[in-house]
Amino acid sequence: MSIWKATKVAEMSAREKAHMEKVRKFAAEGMVLLENDGTLPLAADTKKIALFGNGARHMIKGGKGSGDVNSRSVVGVEQGILEAGCEVVSGSWLDEYDKICTDAKGAYDARVKDLIENSGNPMAGFMEIFNNPYHDPDVQEITDADMADADAAVYVIARDSGEGRDRKPVAGDYELTDNEKKNIEKLAARYDKFVVALNVGGVVDTKALRSTKGVGAVLLMSQAGNVIGTVFADALFGKSIPTGHLAMTWAENYSDYPAFDTFSSQNGNVDDEYYNEGIFVGYRYFDSFGKKPAYPFGYGLSYTSFDISVKDVSLAGEELTAKVEVKNTGDKFAGKQLVQLYVSAPDGNVEKPVKELKGFAKTKELKPGESDELTIKVKVSDFASYDESKASYVLEPGKYFIRIGENACSTHIAAAVEVAGEIVTQKLANKMKVDTDLNEISAKGATPLTYDGEESEKAAAKVLTLDAGAIKTVVAEYEGAPTEYNCDKAEKITLEDVKSGKATMEDLLGQLTREEMADLCVGTARGGFGGTSVIGTASAVVPGAAGDTSSKMATDRGVHNLVLADGPAGLRLTPYFAVDEENQYIPEQSAMAFDFAGTFEQPTTDIHGEVTKYYQYCTAIPIATMLAQTWNMDVIEEAGDIVGTEMEELGVNLWLAPGMNIQKNPLCGRNFEYYSEDPLLAGMCAAADTKGVQKHKGCGTTIKHFACNNQEDNRMHTNAHVSERALREIYLKGFEVAVRQSQPLSIMTSYNLINGIHAANNYDLLTAICRNEWGFEGVVMTDWGTTGGIEMEQRTFKYGCSNAADCVRSGNDLTMPGSDEDVKNILDNGVTRAELQACTRRILDCVLKCRY
Ligand code: BGC
C-alpha cells in the first residue's frame, strides 16, 4: 500500500478544474473598481487590445514567501484576454519587456548561485532571497510605434512583496516609476478607452492615475490566484461584475498614514517599534484627524448605481437591528452593493475615534431596477472601549450614533443609542502593560472629517434608549498553576484507550514521562525529505508541508503525528515528487516547495528510471486582502472549503493560515497575506475561512501571527511597544473575534516581542487573554524557528530569541519546526510535569480531533 496520499496521475485532476472554476465564479467579488467613467466594462464587440505594463505577462498571482502556492499553471492577463477572443496588438513591446526581465533574473540567479557556492555559508543564498528578493525591473518607455490601433488599451501595474522584507515608499514599489507615469500619459492620450489595472497586494500611490486625463477606469484586480488572467478578462468584458470594497484606507500620500516616518526601517530603528498611533489605525486615524484619503476604507464603485435607504433601526435588549433597502438604480448592469454600519461613541474617560465598523451586509446580485432588504444586527456591548484605568471594557454614558453608508467617508446618521450611565461590559485585568513611555497621539483639537448636514442629522436622530439591565458584566476568571496528574496503572495507556473511554486523558497524561512530553511539544524537523528540508518545508510525511508533530509515540501510545502546511493563498506543497522502489523520496528528482524567487533549478518533470512519480498540485486562491475585499463571508467560507478539500485529499491536518495581522501601515511586506486594517472585518474573515476548512474531517486552521507581526524587517527580533488598549481594541481584537466565532484548531504566535516579551513566551497573552478570557481551546504553536538558528542577517541583535522552555510555561504548546536543542531546553530548564501535561493535553486533543 502506498504511504503517499498524492496522486500518480499526471494530468490535471477534476478537483483542480472544479476549484479553478469556483475561484473564477467568486473572484470578481474581491476586485475593487476605483474609477470608471463608463469605460468599463468594455463592449462585447471589442476585438483588439493594446496591452502594456509590467503585469501584462508577469502578473503576480499572490505574494512571495511561505504563502506562495505551487499551482500547476497560472493564467496571465494576456492569456486571459486572448482566451476571451481578443487580439493583443502590443506583442513586440511585451516581448521586449520579457527580455529585460530574463536578463535581470539571470543576473540575480548568478549572484545567488555565487553566494551559495563561494561565500562559505550554506544559508547565504537563502538569506539573499529573503533579504533582497528578486523583483522584475522597471518597464521600458512605450514609443509611438508600440501603440497600434486598438479598440481599447489596458495597462497592468504589478507589485510583489513577501515575508522577511517590508516594502519601500519609492518608485517601483509604493510609488509609480517615471516610465510608468509616462506610459500611462501616452496611452491616455492615444486611446479613447483606457483601463489601468492594479495587480497589487497592497496600496500604491494613485495620484498619477487620477490626475491623468483620459484614464477611463482604474480596477484593483488584486491577486486572484492561478486563474487571475481569466478572472480579470471576465471583469474587463462584463462577464463578471466587480463588487469588491477596500479593506484598507488608500491615502493620498504615503506620508498621510500615522507613524509613516517611524514604521519599520523608515527611521533606521528596526529593534524597537513604538505604536504611538494607539488605536488610531486606518480609517480611525484618517477620520479623526481630518485627513481625506484618496479612497476610503470600504470604498468601491460598481458598473451600476445604487440607492441605499434605511427603513428602520430598532433595539431589543442590547440587540440593535438595522433594516436597509438597496435598489439598483442603473438600467444596464447588475451589481451587488455593500452596506456598512459604523458607530460613533461619545468621548469620556477614554478618547474615541470618530467611528468604528460594527456590522455590514452585502446584497445578492441585483438586476437593474431590482431591490433587496438587508438586515444588520449588532450588539450594544460591542460598542464598549477598553479603559485601562478600570481594566475593563466600558460603555461610557452618552449618545452612540449609528451611521449607515457605503464607505467610511460616506455614511449618514441612522439613529442614536442613549446609554444613561456607565456600564462595565467586561471586567478583566490589565495583562499587557506597555513597557516604556509611549507618546500616543490624541485627536483632541484636530478637525475630523465631516460632511454638510452631519450636525442636523445628529440632532434629528431617532434616540433608542438602552435598558441598562440588558447588559450583564462578564467577569474574567484566570486559571492558577496547572494540576499535575499521576497514574499508577500498570498497563500502558494509549490514545485509543482515551478515545474508547477505557481510560481517561488524565490517566494517559499521568503515565507520560517528561521526555515523552517534551518530545511531543517540539516539532520533528530533524531532516525532512532526504535531508534537504529548509525552513518551511520540514515535513517528513507530506512532501513540501511546513512541518509535522512527533510520531514517536505512534506505535506504543497511538499518538499519530499531525501534518502542518502553509497558506494563506491556498495549500503550499511540493507540486511533484519521485520515490524509489522502497518508497524512499528522491530529492534530486522532486520539485521544491519553497523556491519563491524561482531561482533554484527544478528537476524536469520528465523523470527517468525506476521511480514512481506523485503529483499534488494545489489551487492558488485569491490573497487574503482580496478575500476581505469581497466583504462576503459565504465567499470566504467557500475559499476555505477549497483548501479544506485539498488538505483532506493530501493528508494535511493543520493549515498554517489564515494570516490576520492588522494592516497597520501599507509598507508591511506581508499585508497581502492579511485581511484588513479593521479588526472586526479581519476577525470575521478568519472565522469564515476557518469554518470552510474545519468542515473537513481531520482539518483545522492556524490563525497567525499572534500578535503584532506588523512589520517584516527584523521580524524575529523587533520589540513592539503597544498600549494595552490598542492591543485589546486593535491588534488582538481580530483574533478574539475569530476564536469566539469559529474556534480554530490552532494559533501561531509571532516572531516579535510585545512590550519586551516574545509572543511565544508570553503567558498573559496566550493563557490569560487567549484561553481564559476568550475561551480558546486549541493548540498554540510558534512560528518557524523562533527559538533561534535561522538568522537572516549577520549582526548582533538588541533582542534575542524566544526559548522552548518558556513556550511550554506560557502555554505555547508546540515549538516548530523543532530541534533537539528545543527538547533539551525544555528538559533542562525546570519546566514542571504539570506544565508539560497542560500543553500535551491540548496537542493530544488536537490529534484526537484530526486523526481519530
Ligand atoms: C512564516 C510563517 C509560516 C512558516 C512555515 C515562517 O517563515 O512566518 O507564516 O507559516 O514560516 O513555513
Side-chain angles (χ1 to χ4, degrees), residues 66-67 130 163 535-537 546-547 565-567 572 594 656-657 670 673-674 704-705 709 712 715-716 748 751 782-784 790:
S66 56
F130 251 87
E163 68 181 285
I535 175 179
T537 57
D566 265 312
R572 184 174 59 82
F594 200 40
L656 302 176
R670 290 186 94 167
E673 293 190 59
Y674 304 148
K704 69 186 186 184
H705 310 87
N709 196 159
E712 285 299 299
R715 63 179 173 158
M716 292 206 174
M748 183 191 290
Y751 287 123
T782 64
D783 199 344
W784 266 228
I790 40 162

Side-chain angles (χ1 to χ4, degrees), residues 51 81 145 169 214 218 242 273 306 314 379 423 435 531 554 573 578 620 648 654 694 729 753 793 798 805 852:
L51 175 66
I81 290 175
V218 180
E273 189 72 10
F306 297 98
S314 60
K379 279 195 194 151
I423 301 174
D435 59 339
L573 298 177
E648 210 178 326
L654 295 178
Q694 295 193 173
E729 289 189 22
L753 301 89
E793 289 171 274
K798 178 168 174 187
Y852 277 86

Side-chain angles (χ1 to χ4, degrees), residues 75-184:
V75 183
V77 171
E78 186 188 26
Q79 192 185 338
I81 290 175
L82 293 173
E83 284 173 4
C86 276
E87 187 190 338
V88 170
V89 297
S90 45
S92 54
W93 187 92
L94 295 171
D95 291 344
E96 196 185 329
Y97 183 58
D98 279 350
K99 175 145 189 347
I100 294 174
C101 294
T102 309
D103 292 349
K105 187 68 176 36
Y108 180 87
D109 289 350
R111 202 173 73 241
V112 172
K113 197 159 175 265
D114 182 52
L115 280 169
I116 294 170
E117 287 170 3
N118 304 320
S119 68
N121 175 4
M123 284 293 281
F126 189 64
M127 279 159 58
E128 178 66 6
I129 292 172
F130 251 87
N131 294 334
N132 293 305
Y134 171 77
H135 292 289
D136 282 335
D138 192 10
V139 287
Q140 75 277 21
E141 262 190 71
I142 296 172
T143 63
D144 289 348
D146 293 322
M147 296 190 287
D149 285 350
D151 301 312
V154 174
Y155 195 92
V156 186
I157 297 175
R159 292 292 186 268
D160 201 3
S161 71
E163 68 181 285
R165 209 21 100 221
D166 286 315
R167 297 177 58 198
K168 298 277 173 287
V170 297
D173 194 342
Y174 186 89
E175 306 288 339
L176 303 196
T177 66
D178 285 346
N179 281 356
E180 285 176 327
K181 287 184 206 162
K182 279 187 223 156
N183 289 346
I184 285 164

